[in-house]
Amino acid sequence: MSAVPRSEKPAGRFRRMLDRLSSSQEDLESEELREDAETAGCTRIGDCRDRQIVTVTGTLRTVTLRPRAGVPALEAELFDGSAALDVVWLGRRSIVGIEPGRKLIASGRISMSRGRRVLFNPKYELRPLGRE
């Protein structure tokens, strides 16, 4: 066996096909999301640091209404294949188009809350439904 990990070896067409056939659906979706983030020129969520201003893209996994200090807050988990990020809109009970499974691009300053990356009141753009 060679010392170079499989992921770092140049992959031919046959190898890529075998890798896709042997991967789980979740792995394939994660890879597709990572490629989409790279194509869009966005920062990977896994690479984001505290207090960094970023533009990220991904798919909303969950959307929840969770009050914070008595104020309504719409929370969503954004996943880009590398990591997850909590997106929080303070003072909102709902936003048209913000629903699980929807893709979006969000911009703002990352903060850390309870060990998780959070983006409060981001500027966002919903991705067209035809691209999903």
Side-chain angles (χ1 to χ4, degrees):
M1 299 244 86
S2 67
V4 179
R6 176 187 264 180
S7 62
E8 295 179 19
K9 289 183 181 178
R13 184 180 299 166
F14 184 69
R15 169 57 63 194
R16 286 192 305 266
M17 184 180 71
L18 281 177
D19 286 345
R20 288 187 72 82
L21 289 173
S22 63
S23 297
S24 70
Q25 184 66 25
E26 186 175 325
D27 291 340
L28 294 174
E29 289 172 1
S30 292
E31 181 181 336
E32 183 180 315
L33 287 170
R34 284 190 299 271
E35 289 171 2
D36 189 36
E38 186 177 312
T39 302
C42 295
T43 305
R44 289 177 25 164
I45 294 173
D47 296 337
C48 295
R49 297 182 322 274
D50 191 27
R51 307 298 300 154
Q52 180 182 9
I53 296 174
V54 297
T55 299
V56 295
T57 187
T59 301
L60 295 175
R61 284 182 162 173
T62 61
V63 178
T64 310
L65 177 61
R66 183 171 297 143
R68 288 178 174 251
V71 176
L74 186 65
E75 284 190 17
E77 182 183 65
L78 184 69
F79 181 70
D80 75 345
S82 67
L85 165 80
D86 291 333
V87 183
V88 179
W89 289 274
L90 297 171
R92 302 296 300 261
R93 294 185 190 280
S94 66
I95 299 174
V96 175
I98 300 296
E99 56 195 27
R102 188 71 190 255
K103 292 184 180 182
L104 66 87
I105 297 174
S107 301
R109 187 178 301 272
I110 296 285
S111 64
M112 298 296 283
S113 175
R114 293 181 234 126
R116 291 185 52 94
R117 293 174 185 90
V118 182
L119 198 56
F120 287 100
N121 295 325
K123 183 169 82 171
Y124 68 95
E125 174 184 333
L126 293 170
R127 303 289 296 272
L129 289 171
R131 294 192 60 202
E132 294 180 14

